[in-house]
C-alpha cells in the first residue's frame, strides 16, 4: 500500500500536460527516490506517449464526465484497474495526475480518493491560472479540436451558467467548466474530502515553463529531487494560436462541416493550417477576453480569489498571478490581421494532399 498519494487534479490549461510530460520522462529517477509515476501496461510494452491518468479515471467514474460514453468507460476499466493496483502495491509515494478530476462533483471526488486506498494520506494539488488566461485558452482549444462555436457565444454561455448560482453549478454535469475554473470553490470541494491542510493550490508563474516545474516540486515535497534531470527551459507541450488565427480556424471548422468532410480528413487539414500559422513571423495579438465581457470576468475573478482565501488551503506561489486585469488585455484583432491569417490558411489548404482513402471518398 502506498504510504502517500499525491493527487494532481489540474486544472486544464494550467500547465498540466507539461508537468505530466516532465514526470513521465523521469519515471526511473523518481522510482529511485521511492516515488511512483504510473504508466499503463501498453505504454511499457509499446513505448506509447500517454502521459496522464485522466483516461484511467474514465474506467472508474464513467459518465460522471459529460464527454465520456458508457462504451468509452468500459474500454478504460483495465487501465483504471492497473493504475489502482500500481498505487496500492507501491511502498512509497505515488503521483497520479488527471486534470479532469477538477470537474467532478463531490461524491465522485470522494469515491476517487477512497478507491486508491489511502484517504488519510492523500494530498491534493491544484495548478491554477487566472480566468483571464483560462477562458480564452479553453475556447482556443475547442477551436483547435474542430469546434465552430463563436467566442462571444462561448462566453455568453459561461456567463449564463454562472448566473444560475453555485447550488446548481455544483450538481449539474453540464456546468463542469465552472466546477474547475472557480478555483476557490474547487479548493473548498476537495478540502471537504481530505481536509484543507491536505489541499494545495499552486499558481502558474508563466513562462519559461520550467518555473512551474520547480514550483511544483517545491509544493509536492517528494524528498531529495536533486537527481532529477533538469528540464529544457525551451520545452513547451502545446503551441497556441493567436486571436486572428483562432477566428480563421473557427470559420474553417464550420466550412469543413458544411462540406461534409469526415473527421480524420478535417483533423489532418486543420493540423496543416495550424502548422502554417506557426511558421509566420508576425502572427497578431494573443487571444484575450472580449471587451464586452471584461467587467464580468473581473468580478468573477475577485469572487473566486475571495473563496480561495476562505478555503484555508495552502497556497504555493503568488495569488496576484491569479488576478484579472482588464487593462492588461491585448488589442482585439483587426480585419487586416484576420485577412492575413486567412491567406495563410488558404495556402496551407492548397498544399494539403488527402490520403488515398480520403481521395477515394471524394470520387
Amino acid at each position: 500500500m502506498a504510504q502517500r498519494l499525491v493527487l494532481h487534479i489540474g486544472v486544464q490549461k494550467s500547465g498540466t500536460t507539461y508537468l505530466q510530460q516532465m514526470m513521465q520522462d523521469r519515471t526511473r529517477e523518481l522510482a529511485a527516490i521511492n516515488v511512483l509515476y504510473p504508466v499503463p501496461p501498453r505504454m511499457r510494452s509499446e513505448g506509447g506517449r500517454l502521459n496522464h491518468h485522466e483516461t484511467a479515471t474514465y474506467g472508474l467514474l464513467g459518465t460522471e464526465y459529460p464527454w465520456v460514453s458508457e462504451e468509452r468507460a468500459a474500454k478504460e476499466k483495465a487501465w483504471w484497474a492497473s493504475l489502482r493496483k500500481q498505487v496500492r502495491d507501491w511502498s512509497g509515494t505515488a503521483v497520479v495526475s488527471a486534470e479532469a478530476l477538477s470537474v467532478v462533483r463531490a461524491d465522485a471526488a470522494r469515491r476517487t480518493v477512497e478507491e486508491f486506498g489511502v484517504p488519510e494520506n492523500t494530498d491534493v494539488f491544484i495548478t491554477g491560472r487566472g480566468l483571464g488566461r483560462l477562458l480564452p485558452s479553453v475556447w482556443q482549444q475547442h477551436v483547435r479540436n474542430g469546434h465552430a462555436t463563436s467566442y462571444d457565444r462561448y462566453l455568453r454561455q459561461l456567463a449564463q451558467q454562472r448566473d444560475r448560482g453555485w447550488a446548481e453549478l455544483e450538481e449539474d454535469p453540464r456546468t463542469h467548466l465552472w466546477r474547475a475554473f472557480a478555483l476557490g470553490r474547487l479548493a473548498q470541494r476537495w478540502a471537504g474530502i481530505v481536509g484543507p491542510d491536505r489541499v494545495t493550490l499552486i499558481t502558474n508563474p508563466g513562462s519559461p515553463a520550467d518555473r512551474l516545474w520547480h514550483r511544483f516540486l517545491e509544493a509536492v515535497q517528494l524528498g531529495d529531487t536533486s537527481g532529477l534531470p533538469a528540464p529544457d527551459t525551451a520545452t513547451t507541450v502545446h503551441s497556441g494560436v493567436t486571436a486572428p488565427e483562432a477566428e480563421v480556424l473557427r470559420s474553417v471548422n464550420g466550412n469543413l462541416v458544411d462540406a461534409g468532410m469526415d473527421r480524420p480528413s478535417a483533423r489532418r487539414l486543420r493540423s496543416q493550417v495550424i502548422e502554417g500559422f506557426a511558421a509566420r513571423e508576425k502572427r497578431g495579438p494573443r487571444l484575450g477576453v472580449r471587451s464586452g465581457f471584461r467587467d464580468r470576468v473581473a468580478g468573477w475573478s475577485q469572487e473566486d480569489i475571495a473563496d480561495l482565501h476562505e478555503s484555508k488551503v495552502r497556497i504555493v506561489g503568488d495569488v496576484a498571478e491569479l488576478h484579472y486585469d482588464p487593462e492588461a488585455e491585448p488589442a482585439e484583432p483587426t480585419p487586416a490581421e484576420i485577412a492575413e491569417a486567412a491567406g495563410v490558411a488558404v495556402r496551407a489548404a492548397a498544399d494539403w494532399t488527402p490520403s488515398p482513402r480520403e481521395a477515394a471518398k471524394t470520387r
Side-chain angles (χ1 to χ4, degrees), residues 9-61:
I9 64 168
V11 300
Q12 62 171 303
K13 315 308 292 184
S14 67
T16 52
T17 304
Y18 173 81
L19 292 175
Q20 291 156 355
Q21 191 68 62
M22 292 298 101
M23 287 186 281
Q24 177 183 297
D25 290 346
R26 292 156 178 78
T27 52
R28 292 183 180 179
E29 292 84 358
L30 287 168
I33 57 172
N34 208 20
V35 175
L36 169 73
Y37 186 75
V39 294
R42 62 181 177 270
M43 182 177 151
R44 288 196 297 270
S45 61
E46 301 172 9
R49 296 304 298 168
L50 180 64
N51 56 30
H52 59 74
H53 305 119
E54 174 178 328
T55 52
T57 68
Y58 295 174
L60 172 68
L61 302 178

Side-chain angles (χ1 to χ4, degrees), residues 103-182:
V103 313
V104 302
R105 293 169 292 183
D107 287 348
R110 182 174 293 106
R111 181 183 175 194
T112 302
V113 170
E114 292 173 351
E115 282 286 330
F116 281 116
V118 285
E120 70 285 355
N121 288 314
T122 296
D123 293 313
V124 175
F125 293 85
I126 304 164
T127 44
R129 296 174 76 191
L131 287 177
R133 294 285 186 166
L134 283 175
L135 299 182
S137 186
V138 169
W139 178 74
Q140 177 203 128
Q141 191 62 50
H142 285 329
V143 171
R144 289 172 62 94
N145 290 341
H147 297 283
T149 302
S150 74
Y151 192 21
D152 284 348
R153 182 182 178 189
Y154 158 79
L155 291 172
R156 282 197 303 271
Q157 289 172 338
L158 286 177
Q160 290 167 358
Q161 288 180 3
R162 180 112 182 189
D163 288 344
R164 290 165 55 187
W166 285 108
E168 289 192 38
L169 294 178
E170 288 287 348
E171 293 303 325
D172 187 343
R174 296 167 296 179
T175 57
H176 57 279
L177 278 182
W178 280 125
R179 281 197 294 279
F181 288 174

Side-chain angles (χ1 to χ4, degrees), residues 247-268:
E247 288 293 345
V248 170
L249 197 58
R250 183 192 70 80
S251 181
V252 168
N253 291 338
N255 279 277
L256 293 180
V257 171
D258 291 343
M261 183 175 284
D262 62 90
R263 289 187 178 182
S265 300
R267 184 165 52 249
R268 289 183 59 242

